[in-house]
Amino acid sequence: MELSATESVVGQPEGSLVNDIGILPQGRRNDGLMRLAGALRRKGASLEEIEQELFKHNERRCQPPLPGAEVSRIAVSVASYPTGGPDPLEDAWQTIEAQPCDSNFARFVALARQLQTARPGQPVALPVNRIGELMGLDRSMVGLYRKQAVRDGVLKLLDNYVAHKRACTFQVVLDFQGQETQSLAALPKGIPPISSSNGIGGIFETPPRGNAADAPRGHQTSAPRGNEEDKMEMNERNAQVLRLAAREFRVFPVKPDKTPMVRWKTGMTSAATANVGQVTKWLTKLPECNWAVATGKASQVFVLDIDGSNGLQSFADCCEQAGVDWKAVAESTLGVRTGKGSHLYFQHPGHSVRNSARKLAPGLDVRGDGGYVVAPPSRHENGEPYFWLGGDESKPVTTAPDWLLERVVA
């Protein structure tokens, strides 16, 4: 059985990027080949056909290729399953895909609950690669959602993953406090939704003064958990950095005190790069470093640095004076929770953007041309992780409000 010329091991067109780097690196090779083998088996492929296809993709996409014996073991393992039949994960996805969900995390929970509903009392497997493909997310993000759901009681781990022998299985909790959840997309009370609409609400312990109805509510001391794992797997960290580069953000390694680990001159951004090859070399050489994004024309962004509750208050005040909703502004664009505040990314206006500290207002800094900001998956000197607001690193970078553009353009 030959795959079509446009079909790939991860469900993307041939020649497209896998995890934005076009390969299956260490840590993803087994899962990638296992998933391909499963898809072939469901289509009726024999052991010989599966093995032939796996060897081809092993040489083409795995870096370095897996040993031949290991590839054969994957083929033998998958070929032991019956051919054909419905795909439970695909069926569950088709059921919940059109349901309204306020976040990717909520959609993941909905998918898990639908799988459990279709298999009452049975263990449920939640493969990160396949779910990532269905949801249009990277496997690392799905893995973090899965861990988050375990921490918050949505999932209960039943069996740990054993390579080529057993998938990681869960029991999905459908009933909270004795009452069954009415909506598959609903989250139990106490779980902060990880969503692109989550904005900066719930980040600071002290909300802005003034109209209490406009202040962030809910989980003031419980930040979204998009990528805050204390023991994040190295391949997940690497994937985040590589995705930044693939997005044309020029990145470079920095120390915990934010000192560049490359030759850096103030106002010069040539040391930063979006070249995936160079970034991969840095990842190999400096696996534990923090990462920064060069701002300004280099990455076509500038960043508003909101420092703590004072900065948030200043931001809210500036927006109010301009007649705009500060929450709507914050929630409209890519954002990061830092060690003591947040960063909001905005499109570079094409004119010079000055770097400044507290010139806009108390607690508000700007990083523009010649500057840089630390980005996920870094960790602040105080031990706090940097993570994407709402757990959504794919969010677009939008145009800054007029009042901000007027103050930052030189």
Side-chain angles (χ1 to χ4, degrees), residues 6-273:
T6 59
E7 188 173 1
S8 79
V9 69
V10 293
Q12 297 182 3
E14 186 71 9
S16 67
L17 296 183
V18 178
N19 215 8
D20 295 326
I21 52 177
I23 59 173
L24 287 172
Q26 285 185 323
R28 294 195 59 194
R29 298 173 298 176
N30 288 346
D31 285 340
L33 294 184
M34 182 73 77
R35 189 159 61 84
L36 171 62
L40 292 170
R41 187 59 175 169
R42 285 192 296 274
K43 295 177 181 178
S46 66
L47 170 60
E48 292 75 16
E49 290 170 331
I50 293 173
E51 190 171 43
Q52 178 182 358
E53 200 66 34
L54 292 192
F55 272 106
K56 181 173 68 177
H57 282 279
N58 182 49
E59 292 299 322
R60 181 185 302 171
R61 297 191 176 276
C62 295
Q63 291 193 2
L66 290 169
E70 190 166 357
V71 176
S72 294
R73 282 196 296 271
I74 295 174
V76 170
S77 174
V78 173
S80 66
Y81 292 97
T83 61
D87 180 351
L89 187 59
E90 182 70 30
D91 289 347
W93 175 252
Q94 291 179 2
T95 300
I96 65 97
E97 184 177 11
Q99 293 183 9
C101 294
D102 66 355
S103 70
N104 283 332
F105 180 67
R107 194 170 299 281
F108 168 79
V109 171
L111 178 62
R113 289 177 179 166
Q114 181 60 36
L115 279 169
Q116 188 68 81
T117 300
R119 298 169 56 85
Q122 299 183 51
V124 170
L126 298 170
V128 293
N129 281 319
R130 291 197 60 220
I131 293 176
E133 180 183 351
L134 291 171
M135 296 182 64
L137 300 172
D138 183 81
R139 68 181 298 275
S140 61
M141 185 62 69
V142 178
L144 291 171
Y145 286 169
R146 197 169 68 176
K147 293 175 185 177
Q148 178 64 50
V150 170
R151 283 199 303 268
D152 288 314
V154 180
L155 301 179
K156 293 182 179 180
L157 178 64
L158 298 180
D159 289 304
N160 285 309
Y161 170 75
V162 177
H164 312 316
K165 293 183 180 180
R166 184 179 67 215
C168 187
T169 58
F170 303 87
Q171 176 188 353
V172 185
V173 178
L174 300 176
D175 188 34
F176 294 94
Q177 299 180 347
Q179 296 192 5
E180 186 171 351
T181 304
Q182 297 300 312
S183 169
L184 290 176
L187 292 176
K189 183 179 180 181
I191 298 180
I194 300 178
S195 71
S196 59
S197 61
N198 218 24
I200 59 176
I203 289 181
F204 300 104
E205 295 185 14
T206 305
R209 301 181 299 276
N211 188 349
D214 291 333
R217 296 179 179 273
H219 311 280
Q220 266 79 12
T221 59
S222 179
R225 301 183 176 95
N227 58 342
E228 64 181 285
E229 287 294 325
D230 290 339
K231 296 181 179 179
M232 181 183 293
E233 296 178 7
M234 193 59 61
N235 65 318
E236 293 175 350
R237 286 176 49 88
N238 293 356
Q240 288 194 48
V241 180
L242 289 166
R243 287 196 299 272
L244 283 176
R247 196 172 174 177
E248 297 299 323
F249 285 155
R250 297 185 179 274
V251 300
F252 60 97
V254 294
K255 298 178 181 178
D257 64 359
K258 304 181 183 180
T259 302
M261 301 179 73
V262 295
R263 292 183 180 180
W264 181 273
K265 294 183 179 180
T266 302
M268 302 294 289
T269 59
S270 58
T273 184

